[in-house]
Structures are given as C-alpha cells and as structure tokens.
Amino acid sequence: QLQASGGGLVQAGGSLRLSCAASGIRFSTNGMGWFRQAPGKEREFVAYISAAGGNKSLADPVKGRFTISRDNAKNTVSLQMSSLQPEDTAVYYCAALRYGSRWHERTRIESYTYWGQGTLVTVSS
C-alpha cells in the first residue's frame, strides 16, 4: 500500500529525492512520516507532514538539508534530501500515521500503521 522509491548511490554533498506512492488508504486523511534505519542501528524518525500538509517537522540531524512535501491529488509524499553525508546512509521508509494520533506521537514508530518496503540510500565519502 506504500511504495517507496528514489534511493540510490550518491556522493557526499549530493542530493536525492525519495517518493512514496500510496494506494488502498485514505491518503489525504493520514499524516505521513519518513524513517530510516542504518546498518546495525535502530530505525529512527526523519520527517513528518500532516494530512493537509500544513504542519511539518524534521529530526535535528536533517534540519536545513531535508524537506518533506506531499501531493494529495497524486497520493504521494516526497523527501528531498540535499547536502547528503555518509551518515545519511540507510534504508528509508515511508509510513502512514495512525488516524487520530496526536502531534507528539509523530516521531514514534509504534504510531504508524502502514509501512513501505524501504528504499536504500548510500552516500559515499
């Protein structure tokens, strides 16, 4: 129901744009998040955008470098990543926030109902 794409290999300082296409869910009523999981590490929150797109938040490590956006007409959410660094290397996952969740729950993995399969981003130094 969530299909992430756009990952790949990029040199440090480069950019990538990840996309996530949703189907089978009421996309326009779900907040959407991006998480990432680096090798040997736990999955961590990266970015969030509210259902209508008016509220966004980014994890501290990516502030100023990543931007999250969505197109409810196309049922897609995107993550524009710039100034990529080797520490950004991870599998990136999109996820749909459980309907009715509160703002402070947006960074929690357990708050998300549906997950995409992940797309690998590798940043070389």
Side-chain angles (χ1 to χ4, degrees):
Q1 291 178 320
L2 296 177
Q3 183 74 32
S5 61
L9 175 63
V10 63
Q11 289 187 333
S15 299
L16 278 176
R17 184 178 180 86
L18 306 183
S19 293
C20 175
S23 61
I25 64 172
R26 295 179 64 183
F27 182 77
S28 62
T29 64
N30 285 95
M32 296 296 295
W34 284 96
F35 288 74
R36 67 186 181 185
Q37 187 165 16
K41 295 187 177 181
E42 294 185 350
R43 193 171 299 189
E44 63 176 3
F45 169 78
V46 175
Y48 170 81
I49 186 166
S50 61
N55 293 306
K56 304 175 185 180
S57 69
L58 296 167
D60 287 343
V62 306
K63 283 182 180 177
R65 301 188 298 122
F66 290 13
T67 303
I68 187 170
S69 61
R70 67 188 295 159
D71 186 337
N72 284 349
K74 297 182 178 180
N75 284 4
T76 59
V77 58
S78 298
L79 186 69
Q80 178 67 47
M81 307 184 296
S82 302
S83 301
L84 285 162
Q85 299 301 316
E87 52 266 34
D88 295 315
T89 294
V91 177
Y92 284 72
Y93 299 89
C94 60
L97 187 70
R98 182 177 298 109
Y99 184 77
S101 296
R102 299 188 177 189
W103 175 254
H104 68 275
E105 297 175 307
R106 72 197 183 283
T107 63
R108 301 175 183 174
I109 293 173
E110 60 268 25
S111 299
Y112 289 79
T113 305
Y114 301 107
W115 290 83
Q117 85 289 358
T119 185
L120 177 62
V121 172
T122 303
V123 184
S124 62
S125 58

